Amino acid sequence: MIKIIYFLVIIFANTVGSISGMGGGVLIKPIFDAIGAHTLATITFYSSVAVFTMAIVSTIRQLRNGVRVYFASAAALSAGSVLGGLLGNIIFEKLLFFFPDESSVLLIQIILTIIMLVFVLLFTKENMRSFRLKHWFWYVLVGLFLGGIATLLGIGGGPINVTLLMLCFGMSIKPATVYSIITIFFSQLSKLVTVGFTTGYMVFDLSILWAIIPAAIIGGLLGAKISNILPSNKVMFVYRAVIIVVIVLNIYNLVMIYF
C-alpha cells in the first residue's frame, strides 16, 4: 500500500516540480514526513532518488524541446552545487549524530524551509530588482549555496533555486527553471554518491525504489511537456501556488511534532 501512495505522490510532485523548476522534493519531503512510514534519513534518501531521476528526465526533455542553456553558466552552477551537496550531506549527518531524537533535526529542516519559502513568496510578489551578476565566480557561489540547502533540507532546493537565480542573474522564470533542475541534478548526485560511500544503500528498503523511480520518470516527462506548453505567467502561477501549499504542509508537520 505504501508503494502505491509513494508512487502517486511522486508522479504529482515531480510533474509540478518539473514545470516550476522546484524539483519534486519540495512536495515529496513534507508529504512523506506527514505520512510517517519511514525514518527521516530514509525519507530524505527516497526524496533524493526521486528528484535526481526527475532532474535527468526533465533536463533531457527540455534540451530536446530547444531550451537554450549556456554551458559555462551551467557548468559553474553545477560545480558549486556538487560541492554544496557534499557539504549539505555532511551537515545533515552531523545533525543526526548530535540530536539523538531525529524530530529535532526535522524541526530544524521545517523551520528553515518555512523561512526560505516566505522569502521566496515575498520576492515573487514584490518583483524585486535583480543584481544581474555576470562573473563565473558568482555562479559557483550560488551553486554552492543552493546545493548545500537542497541536500540539508532534503527538498531538492527548488523554490529557493528559481528565486535566487532570478534575483542574482536576472533570469526570467522559464530559463531559471531549467538551470534550477540542472543544479538539483548535481546536488542530488553528490548526495547519493556520499551516501554510497558512508552508510551505504543497504540500510534502506531498496524495494521501494521500484515504485519511486518509474513514478519519478513519469513525473519528469509530464512536467517537461507541460512546461513547454505553458506561457511564463502560468509557470509563475504554478510556482507561487506550490510555495503556498508547501508552507501549509510544513506548518502542519511543525504542529504535529508538538501535538
Side-chain angles (χ1 to χ4, degrees):
M1 184 63 182
I2 194 65
K3 289 182 182 179
I4 297 173
I5 294 172
Y6 279 11
F7 183 82
L8 295 174
V9 167
I10 289 170
I11 288 179
F12 170 72
N14 275 1
T15 299
V16 174
S18 181
I19 293 170
S20 60
M22 294 184 180
V26 71
L27 283 167
I28 294 169
K29 175 65 168 52
I31 293 174
F32 282 12
D33 285 339
I35 294 170
H38 292 93
T39 65
L40 180 60
T42 303
I43 288 171
T44 301
F45 172 71
Y46 289 158
S47 178
S48 293
V49 172
V51 173
F52 176 68
T53 305
M54 179 278 301
I56 296 174
V57 173
S58 182
T59 300
I60 292 173
R61 188 62 182 265
Q62 293 279 26
L63 292 175
R64 286 181 176 176
N65 287 340
V67 176
R68 174 179 283 188
V69 174
Y70 293 99
F71 177 77
S73 301
L77 275 171
S78 302
S81 65
V82 168
L83 295 174
L86 293 171
L87 180 61
N89 191 65
I90 290 171
I91 296 172
F92 177 71
E93 295 293 340
K94 293 293 184 184
L95 287 173
L96 287 177
F97 176 78
F98 284 117
F99 295 98
D101 180 7
E102 69 175 28
S103 63
S104 299
V105 180
L106 178 58
L107 180 64
I108 293 170
Q109 287 182 321
I110 290 173
I111 291 173
L112 288 176
T113 300
I114 291 173
I115 290 171
M116 286 197 309
L117 290 175
V118 170
F119 161 75
V120 168
L121 198 59
L122 290 173
F123 167 75
T124 55
K125 185 177 180 181
E126 298 299 329
N127 196 25
M128 293 168 59
R129 186 169 60 89
S130 69
F131 295 109
R132 299 188 178 275
L133 303 172
K134 300 294 183 182
H135 198 278
W136 64 266
F137 168 79
W138 294 111
Y139 283 90
V140 174
L141 193 62
V142 169
L144 179 70
F145 174 75
L146 295 178
I149 288 294
T151 307
L152 174 61
L153 301 184
I155 61 171
I160 192 70
N161 284 17
V162 174
T163 300
L164 204 58
L165 289 170
M166 293 170 67
L167 176 64
C168 292
F169 307 116
M171 295 182 184
S172 59
I173 181 71
K174 280 204 169 185
T177 61
V178 177
Y179 282 100
S180 172
I181 296 295
I182 292 172
T183 304
I184 289 169
F185 167 80
F186 283 101
S187 66
Q188 298 309 302
L189 173 63
S190 63
K191 175 179 175 57
L192 292 173
V193 170
T194 302
V195 169
F197 281 104
T198 52
T199 62
Y201 304 116
M202 300 310 295
V203 298
F204 307 109
D205 179 6
L206 299 182
S207 68
I208 301 290
L209 297 184
W210 289 105
I212 289 175
I213 292 175
I217 292 171
I218 293 169
L221 288 172
L222 283 174
K225 185 176 181 63
I226 296 170
S227 177
N228 192 50
I229 297 171
L230 290 179
S232 295
N233 63 323
K234 297 297 183 184
V235 174
M236 180 60 78
F237 174 79
V238 172
Y239 182 69
R240 290 171 178 161
V242 173
I243 291 170
I244 293 170
V245 170
V246 176
I247 289 174
V248 172
L249 273 172
N250 277 280
I251 291 173
Y252 169 80
N253 288 334
L254 186 64
V255 171
M256 292 303 293
I257 289 177
Y258 288 103
F259 300 99

mmCIF file with all atom_site columns, all heavy atoms in Angstrom, residues 146-163:
data_model
loop_
_atom_site.group_PDB
_atom_site.id
_atom_site.type_symbol
_atom_site.label_atom_id
_atom_site.label_alt_id
_atom_site.label_comp_id
_atom_site.label_asym_id
_atom_site.label_entity_id
_atom_site.label_seq_id
_atom_site.pdbx_PDB_ins_code
_atom_site.Cartn_x
_atom_site.Cartn_y
_atom_site.Cartn_z
_atom_site.occupancy
_atom_site.B_iso_or_equiv
_atom_site.pdbx_formal_charge
_atom_site.auth_seq_id
_atom_site.auth_comp_id
_atom_site.auth_asym_id
_atom_site.auth_atom_id
_atom_site.pdbx_PDB_model_num
ATOM 1   N N   . LEU A 1 146 ? 23.004 26.743 -3.081  1.00 0.00 ? 146 LEU A N   1
ATOM 2   C CA  . LEU A 1 146 ? 21.804 26.003 -3.455  1.00 0.00 ? 146 LEU A CA  1
ATOM 3   C C   . LEU A 1 146 ? 21.974 24.503 -3.254  1.00 0.00 ? 146 LEU A C   1
ATOM 4   O O   . LEU A 1 146 ? 21.056 23.825 -2.781  1.00 0.00 ? 146 LEU A O   1
ATOM 5   C CB  . LEU A 1 146 ? 21.438 26.301 -4.914  1.00 0.00 ? 146 LEU A CB  1
ATOM 6   C CG  . LEU A 1 146 ? 21.023 27.736 -5.235  1.00 0.00 ? 146 LEU A CG  1
ATOM 7   C CD1 . LEU A 1 146 ? 20.732 27.898 -6.722  1.00 0.00 ? 146 LEU A CD1 1
ATOM 8   C CD2 . LEU A 1 146 ? 19.810 28.147 -4.412  1.00 0.00 ? 146 LEU A CD2 1
ATOM 9   N N   . GLY A 1 147 ? 23.146 23.984 -3.619  1.00 0.00 ? 147 GLY A N   1
ATOM 10  C CA  . GLY A 1 147 ? 23.402 22.554 -3.439  1.00 0.00 ? 147 GLY A CA  1
ATOM 11  C C   . GLY A 1 147 ? 23.399 22.162 -1.975  1.00 0.00 ? 147 GLY A C   1
ATOM 12  O O   . GLY A 1 147 ? 22.872 21.108 -1.589  1.00 0.00 ? 147 GLY A O   1
ATOM 13  N N   . GLY A 1 148 ? 23.986 23.017 -1.131  1.00 0.00 ? 148 GLY A N   1
ATOM 14  C CA  . GLY A 1 148 ? 24.024 22.734 0.303   1.00 0.00 ? 148 GLY A CA  1
ATOM 15  C C   . GLY A 1 148 ? 22.642 22.746 0.931   1.00 0.00 ? 148 GLY A C   1
ATOM 16  O O   . GLY A 1 148 ? 22.275 21.842 1.695   1.00 0.00 ? 148 GLY A O   1
ATOM 17  N N   . ILE A 1 149 ? 21.839 23.756 0.592   1.00 0.00 ? 149 ILE A N   1
ATOM 18  C CA  . ILE A 1 149 ? 20.481 23.867 1.135   1.00 0.00 ? 149 ILE A CA  1
ATOM 19  C C   . ILE A 1 149 ? 19.609 22.707 0.662   1.00 0.00 ? 149 ILE A C   1
ATOM 20  O O   . ILE A 1 149 ? 18.845 22.119 1.427   1.00 0.00 ? 149 ILE A O   1
ATOM 21  C CB  . ILE A 1 149 ? 19.839 25.210 0.717   1.00 0.00 ? 149 ILE A CB  1
ATOM 22  C CG1 . ILE A 1 149 ? 20.493 26.366 1.488   1.00 0.00 ? 149 ILE A CG1 1
ATOM 23  C CG2 . ILE A 1 149 ? 18.340 25.196 0.950   1.00 0.00 ? 149 ILE A CG2 1
ATOM 24  C CD1 . ILE A 1 149 ? 20.233 26.343 2.985   1.00 0.00 ? 149 ILE A CD1 1
ATOM 25  N N   . ALA A 1 150 ? 19.734 22.369 -0.636  1.00 0.00 ? 150 ALA A N   1
ATOM 26  C CA  . ALA A 1 150 ? 18.928 21.291 -1.206  1.00 0.00 ? 150 ALA A CA  1
ATOM 27  C C   . ALA A 1 150 ? 19.157 19.980 -0.469  1.00 0.00 ? 150 ALA A C   1
ATOM 28  O O   . ALA A 1 150 ? 18.216 19.255 -0.142  1.00 0.00 ? 150 ALA A O   1
ATOM 29  C CB  . ALA A 1 150 ? 19.266 21.118 -2.689  1.00 0.00 ? 150 ALA A CB  1
ATOM 30  N N   . THR A 1 151 ? 20.409 19.679 -0.185  1.00 0.00 ? 151 THR A N   1
ATOM 31  C CA  . THR A 1 151 ? 20.753 18.410 0.456   1.00 0.00 ? 151 THR A CA  1
ATOM 32  C C   . THR A 1 151 ? 20.453 18.433 1.938   1.00 0.00 ? 151 THR A C   1
ATOM 33  O O   . THR A 1 151 ? 19.950 17.446 2.498   1.00 0.00 ? 151 THR A O   1
ATOM 34  C CB  . THR A 1 151 ? 22.254 18.102 0.226   1.00 0.00 ? 151 THR A CB  1
ATOM 35  O OG1 . THR A 1 151 ? 22.538 18.182 -1.171  1.00 0.00 ? 151 THR A OG1 1
ATOM 36  C CG2 . THR A 1 151 ? 22.598 16.717 0.723   1.00 0.00 ? 151 THR A CG2 1
ATOM 37  N N   . LEU A 1 152 ? 20.749 19.530 2.591   1.00 0.00 ? 152 LEU A N   1
ATOM 38  C CA  . LEU A 1 152 ? 20.499 19.637 4.030   1.00 0.00 ? 152 LEU A CA  1
ATOM 39  C C   . LEU A 1 152 ? 19.021 19.494 4.355   1.00 0.00 ? 152 LEU A C   1
ATOM 40  O O   . LEU A 1 152 ? 18.635 18.786 5.288   1.00 0.00 ? 152 LEU A O   1
ATOM 41  C CB  . LEU A 1 152 ? 21.019 20.978 4.552   1.00 0.00 ? 152 LEU A CB  1
ATOM 42  C CG  . LEU A 1 152 ? 20.703 21.313 6.020   1.00 0.00 ? 152 LEU A CG  1
ATOM 43  C CD1 . LEU A 1 152 ? 21.327 20.271 6.955   1.00 0.00 ? 152 LEU A CD1 1
ATOM 44  C CD2 . LEU A 1 152 ? 21.209 22.703 6.366   1.00 0.00 ? 152 LEU A CD2 1
ATOM 45  N N   . LEU A 1 153 ? 18.175 20.153 3.576   1.00 0.00 ? 153 LEU A N   1
ATOM 46  C CA  . LEU A 1 153 ? 16.746 20.144 3.857   1.00 0.00 ? 153 LEU A CA  1
ATOM 47  C C   . LEU A 1 153 ? 16.027 18.957 3.224   1.00 0.00 ? 153 LEU A C   1
ATOM 48  O O   . LEU A 1 153 ? 14.880 18.671 3.563   1.00 0.00 ? 153 LEU A O   1
ATOM 49  C CB  . LEU A 1 153 ? 16.103 21.451 3.372   1.00 0.00 ? 153 LEU A CB  1
ATOM 50  C CG  . LEU A 1 153 ? 16.658 22.737 3.988   1.00 0.00 ? 153 LEU A CG  1
ATOM 51  C CD1 . LEU A 1 153 ? 15.857 23.933 3.493   1.00 0.00 ? 153 LEU A CD1 1
ATOM 52  C CD2 . LEU A 1 153 ? 16.638 22.669 5.514   1.00 0.00 ? 153 LEU A CD2 1
ATOM 53  N N   . GLY A 1 154 ? 16.689 18.281 2.290   1.00 0.00 ? 154 GLY A N   1
ATOM 54  C CA  . GLY A 1 154 ? 16.088 17.106 1.670   1.00 0.00 ? 154 GLY A CA  1
ATOM 55  C C   . GLY A 1 154 ? 14.932 17.423 0.747   1.00 0.00 ? 154 GLY A C   1
ATOM 56  O O   . GLY A 1 154 ? 14.100 16.566 0.466   1.00 0.00 ? 154 GLY A O   1
ATOM 57  N N   . ILE A 1 155 ? 14.869 18.652 0.236   1.00 0.00 ? 155 ILE A N   1
ATOM 58  C CA  . ILE A 1 155 ? 13.722 19.055 -0.590  1.00 0.00 ? 155 ILE A CA  1
ATOM 59  C C   . ILE A 1 155 ? 14.114 19.310 -2.042  1.00 0.00 ? 155 ILE A C   1
ATOM 60  O O   . ILE A 1 155 ? 13.284 19.744 -2.839  1.00 0.00 ? 155 ILE A O   1
ATOM 61  C CB  . ILE A 1 155 ? 13.049 20.329 -0.034  1.00 0.00 ? 155 ILE A CB  1
ATOM 62  C CG1 . ILE A 1 155 ? 14.038 21.509 -0.029  1.00 0.00 ? 155 ILE A CG1 1
ATOM 63  C CG2 . ILE A 1 155 ? 12.496 20.091 1.352   1.00 0.00 ? 155 ILE A CG2 1
ATOM 64  C CD1 . ILE A 1 155 ? 13.397 22.841 0.301   1.00 0.00 ? 155 ILE A CD1 1
ATOM 65  N N   . GLY A 1 156 ? 15.374 19.040 -2.393  1.00 0.00 ? 156 GLY A N   1
ATOM 66  C CA  . GLY A 1 156 ? 15.776 19.320 -3.765  1.00 0.00 ? 156 GLY A CA  1
ATOM 67  C C   . GLY A 1 156 ? 16.143 20.768 -4.008  1.00 0.00 ? 156 GLY A C   1
ATOM 68  O O   . GLY A 1 156 ? 16.771 21.094 -4.999  1.00 0.00 ? 156 GLY A O   1
ATOM 69  N N   . GLY A 1 157 ? 15.746 21.649 -3.111  1.00 0.00 ? 157 GLY A N   1
ATOM 70  C CA  . GLY A 1 157 ? 16.180 23.041 -3.169  1.00 0.00 ? 157 GLY A CA  1
ATOM 71  C C   . GLY A 1 157 ? 15.388 23.953 -4.065  1.00 0.00 ? 157 GLY A C   1
ATOM 72  O O   . GLY A 1 157 ? 15.596 25.156 -4.077  1.00 0.00 ? 157 GLY A O   1
ATOM 73  N N   . GLY A 1 158 ? 14.424 23.389 -4.824  1.00 0.00 ? 158 GLY A N   1
ATOM 74  C CA  . GLY A 1 158 ? 13.775 24.092 -5.910  1.00 0.00 ? 158 GLY A CA  1
ATOM 75  C C   . GLY A 1 158 ? 13.287 25.504 -5.713  1.00 0.00 ? 158 GLY A C   1
ATOM 76  O O   . GLY A 1 158 ? 13.646 26.382 -6.495  1.00 0.00 ? 158 GLY A O   1
ATOM 77  N N   . PRO A 1 159 ? 12.448 25.784 -4.719  1.00 0.00 ? 159 PRO A N   1
ATOM 78  C CA  . PRO A 1 159 ? 11.889 27.140 -4.620  1.00 0.00 ? 159 PRO A CA  1
ATOM 79  C C   . PRO A 1 159 ? 12.948 28.209 -4.488  1.00 0.00 ? 159 PRO A C   1
ATOM 80  O O   . PRO A 1 159 ? 12.896 29.233 -5.168  1.00 0.00 ? 159 PRO A O   1
ATOM 81  C CB  . PRO A 1 159 ? 11.029 27.068 -3.344  1.00 0.00 ? 159 PRO A CB  1
ATOM 82  C CG  . PRO A 1 159 ? 10.732 25.631 -3.168  1.00 0.00 ? 159 PRO A CG  1
ATOM 83  C CD  . PRO A 1 159 ? 11.918 24.899 -3.689  1.00 0.00 ? 159 PRO A CD  1
ATOM 84  N N   . ILE A 1 160 ? 13.923 27.980 -3.645  1.00 0.00 ? 160 ILE A N   1
ATOM 85  C CA  . ILE A 1 160 ? 14.981 28.965 -3.457  1.00 0.00 ? 160 ILE A CA  1
ATOM 86  C C   . ILE A 1 160 ? 15.885 29.018 -4.687  1.00 0.00 ? 160 ILE A C   1
ATOM 87  O O   . ILE A 1 160 ? 16.424 30.065 -5.037  1.00 0.00 ? 160 ILE A O   1
ATOM 88  C CB  . ILE A 1 160 ? 15.802 28.678 -2.170  1.00 0.00 ? 160 ILE A CB  1
ATOM 89  C CG1 . ILE A 1 160 ? 16.711 29.857 -1.824  1.00 0.00 ? 160 ILE A CG1 1
ATOM 90  C CG2 . ILE A 1 160 ? 16.599 27.393 -2.305  1.00 0.00 ? 160 ILE A CG2 1
ATOM 91  C CD1 . ILE A 1 160 ? 15.979 31.072 -1.349  1.00 0.00 ? 160 ILE A CD1 1
ATOM 92  N N   . ASN A 1 161 ? 16.017 27.878 -5.401  1.00 0.00 ? 161 ASN A N   1
ATOM 93  C CA  . ASN A 1 161 ? 16.824 27.846 -6.623  1.00 0.00 ? 161 ASN A CA  1
ATOM 94  C C   . ASN A 1 161 ? 16.328 28.869 -7.633  1.00 0.00 ? 161 ASN A C   1
ATOM 95  O O   . ASN A 1 161 ? 17.070 29.739 -8.085  1.00 0.00 ? 161 ASN A O   1
ATOM 96  C CB  . ASN A 1 161 ? 16.751 26.464 -7.286  1.00 0.00 ? 161 ASN A CB  1
ATOM 97  C CG  . ASN A 1 161 ? 17.574 25.418 -6.584  1.00 0.00 ? 161 ASN A CG  1
ATOM 98  O OD1 . ASN A 1 161 ? 17.960 25.595 -5.436  1.00 0.00 ? 161 ASN A OD1 1
ATOM 99  N ND2 . ASN A 1 161 ? 17.824 24.324 -7.264  1.00 0.00 ? 161 ASN A ND2 1
ATOM 100 N N   . VAL A 1 162 ? 15.070 28.733 -8.012  1.00 0.00 ? 162 VAL A N   1
ATOM 101 C CA  . VAL A 1 162 ? 14.498 29.584 -9.064  1.00 0.00 ? 162 VAL A CA  1
ATOM 102 C C   . VAL A 1 162 ? 14.556 31.055 -8.658  1.00 0.00 ? 162 VAL A C   1
ATOM 103 O O   . VAL A 1 162 ? 14.948 31.915 -9.441  1.00 0.00 ? 162 VAL A O   1
ATOM 104 C CB  . VAL A 1 162 ? 13.048 29.160 -9.370  1.00 0.00 ? 162 VAL A CB  1
ATOM 105 C CG1 . VAL A 1 162 ? 12.405 30.125 -10.364 1.00 0.00 ? 162 VAL A CG1 1
ATOM 106 C CG2 . VAL A 1 162 ? 13.019 27.736 -9.923  1.00 0.00 ? 162 VAL A CG2 1
ATOM 107 N N   . THR A 1 163 ? 14.169 31.327 -7.428  1.00 0.00 ? 163 THR A N   1
ATOM 108 C CA  . THR A 1 163 ? 14.148 32.717 -6.955  1.00 0.00 ? 163 THR A CA  1
ATOM 109 C C   . THR A 1 163 ? 15.540 33.328 -6.938  1.00 0.00 ? 163 THR A C   1
ATOM 110 O O   . THR A 1 163 ? 15.741 34.464 -7.372  1.00 0.00 ? 163 THR A O   1
ATOM 111 C CB  . THR A 1 163 ? 13.536 32.789 -5.546  1.00 0.00 ? 163 THR A CB  1
ATOM 112 O OG1 . THR A 1 163 ? 12.212 32.277 -5.594  1.00 0.00 ? 163 THR A OG1 1
ATOM 113 C CG2 . THR A 1 163 ? 13.494 34.228 -5.051  1.00 0.00 ? 163 THR A CG2 1
#
